[in-house]
Amino acid sequence: MTMLTYALLSDPAPLAASAAGQARSTGTVYLMVTNTGPTAAHWSRNEVAVPVGDGADDLTPDLSKVTATATFHDLKTGAARKLKVQPPAATGPFVVTDPSGKKIAFAAGDHLVLKLEGVPVAAAAGLAVLKVKEIAARTANANPTTGVAVVPLVKTAAKPSSAPGNFRPVPAMVENGDAVVLCWDGPADWAYTISLPDGTSAPVTIPGPLEWKPAPGTGPKRDSTYTLVATDPGTGRKHFLTTTVQVRTPTFENGVHALRVQGIGNTGALTFTSVGIDVFSNTGTRGVAQSFSVVAERVYADRVQGTATRAGWITFPEGGLQVCNGNFDVPRIGAVFAESGIYQRQFVPGEENRWISMSDGGEISLEQRHKDGSTSYASLRVSSLDTRASQW
């Protein structure tokens, strides 16, 4: 029979037995020693024997992993003092004493707490029973007597570790691929790697948050699929999860192959033919290509007109080029303006060339340059001459 009362608590409660093939389950065990009687007990020490092994009756297979501390709490004063804990041998007990070697008077309500941290839990579920030997006396001068108490602790069957899941990008669509973060749910003690779209792999630092993000400048430039490879530390079994990151404005280094490209909403479209591109409006008719400037080796057109409502335009009849007046819907002969002259053909040194020159004085002259480099005035032939002002 003991003079003090003994109870066991655990965190987590109850303790989970360690599952085969998984990281060993650990927990903290508290032994509460209390004086629940009306008279004092003069305590000398406790010896706490922990059942060692992996069986249903055992608490832990390895006492060397356990960290033990103890404190005494005086109910009346509220004071607490640290006690000495002698660690056990391979299978021996934890011995708790006062550092001074003296007895401690346990008044009613005074209590002692032995804390065993980092306890590796045995593999088999069951009831582990700790044996506590008490050395105490009823008076300060009396010889201490030995009492024994047993305190049980439940170990529940191990739950299988849940496989990872919910592999997802945050956010799901990004403007810049560097801003994406890949997240998932799963056991914190598994090993994780990310298989990148280019076939390489990136490790994930564990312990740490279950997430991964690309280094600056290496994020996806277009919609890309990533694979999470999760490895069970106990069995070595690999689990594979995939997710796709969407980039709002993708970049394609090697081009895009498509028969038709259309804008978002009620917009026009481009189709690709064997000779180039056709532009269509939102109704499917021939559309308009707009640009500040166009550089091309050749331009094929039936008509070229300025952007203003009454701008002049040019048509290309079989005989050459016709300039038309923009004031009329039907072709009307328009004006050609030139600063230095209108040439019969491109000026080529060493060949006969003719052109019309217009001077500041309002004079018009027809000039001819000969092959020898000399210049003469050419003749002007007309069937009639109208001196009235032009009415266009």
Side-chain angles (χ1 to χ4, degrees), residues 20-342:
Q22 297 183 13
R24 186 168 289 274
S25 172
T26 60
T28 301
V29 174
Y30 299 89
L31 175 64
M32 177 74 72
V33 183
T34 312
N35 184 1
T36 58
T39 58
H42 295 269
W43 172 89
S44 293
R45 71 178 183 272
N46 279 126
E47 297 177 9
V48 182
V50 177
V52 177
D54 257 337
D57 298 332
D58 300 316
L59 177 61
T60 180
D62 190 354
L63 287 178
S64 66
K65 304 290 186 182
V66 179
T67 301
T69 56
T71 54
F72 171 76
H73 300 264
D74 188 312
L75 179 64
K76 184 176 180 180
T77 65
R81 60 179 174 178
K82 187 175 181 181
L83 301 178
K84 178 182 176 181
V85 180
Q86 179 181 331
T91 58
F94 293 90
V95 179
V96 185
T97 59
D98 186 75
S100 67
K102 298 179 180 180
K103 298 176 183 178
I104 298 178
F106 273 69
D110 291 347
H111 58 278
L112 177 157
V113 178
L114 173 64
K115 182 178 182 182
L116 305 178
E117 294 182 278
V119 178
V121 184
L127 188 67
V129 178
L130 279 66
K131 180 180 178 181
V132 183
K133 183 183 291 187
E134 172 193 284
I135 293 87
R138 278 302 177 189
T139 64
N141 298 324
N143 292 326
T145 60
T146 300
V148 176
V150 291
V151 281
L153 194 62
V154 173
K155 300 172 297 171
T156 59
K159 296 180 180 179
S161 181
S162 59
N166 196 21
F167 185 39
R168 63 204 183 275
V170 180
M173 180 175 288
V174 294
E175 295 287 352
N176 179 359
D178 291 351
V180 72
V181 178
L182 302 182
C183 303
W184 62 93
D185 302 326
D189 58 342
W190 284 36
Y192 298 99
T193 58
I194 302 293
S195 293
L196 308 180
D198 62 2
T200 62
S201 296
V204 178
T205 301
I206 295 295
L210 298 182
E211 64 179 35
W212 177 88
K213 55 185 176 182
T218 65
K221 297 181 179 179
R222 56 185 176 274
D223 291 1
S224 301
T225 298
Y226 292 82
T227 301
L228 172 69
V229 183
T231 305
D232 188 322
T235 64
R237 181 182 178 187
K238 295 184 182 296
H239 298 251
F240 299 88
L241 298 171
T242 60
T243 191
T244 299
V245 177
Q246 299 182 39
V247 181
R248 194 178 303 276
T249 307
T251 299
F252 298 91
E253 295 87 349
N254 298 322
V256 178
H257 297 275
L259 295 176
R260 177 186 174 95
V261 177
Q262 185 167 1
I264 299 174
N266 190 24
T267 58
L270 299 176
T271 60
F272 300 88
T273 68
S274 60
V275 296
I277 299 175
D278 286 341
V279 180
F280 292 94
S281 69
N282 57 358
T283 61
T285 59
R286 291 275 179 159
V288 178
Q290 297 181 345
S291 176
F292 175 75
S293 62
V294 176
V295 178
E297 293 184 2
R298 293 185 181 183
V299 177
Y300 296 91
D302 295 330
R303 168 173 170 168
V304 177
Q305 185 171 6
T307 57
T309 304
R310 294 189 176 185
W313 39 286
I314 301 172
T315 59
F316 304 90
E318 183 178 354
L321 180 147
Q322 178 175 319
V323 179
C324 300
N325 192 325
N327 288 329
F328 304 96
D329 292 333
V330 296
R332 287 284 191 93
I333 302 300
V336 176
F337 301 91
E339 181 178 350
S340 60
I342 301 176

Side-chain angles (χ1 to χ4, degrees), residues 315-366:
T315 59
F316 304 90
E318 183 178 354
L321 180 147
Q322 178 175 319
V323 179
C324 300
N325 192 325
N327 288 329
F328 304 96
D329 292 333
V330 296
R332 287 284 191 93
I333 302 300
V336 176
F337 301 91
E339 181 178 350
S340 60
I342 301 176
Y343 294 83
Q344 178 189 18
R345 63 175 64 90
Q346 182 178 0
F347 179 78
V348 179
E351 295 185 4
E352 295 285 347
N353 292 277
R354 298 179 179 86
W355 68 92
I356 301 173
S357 295
M358 290 161 280
S359 64
D360 292 340
E363 297 178 351
I364 301 175
S365 61
L366 280 64

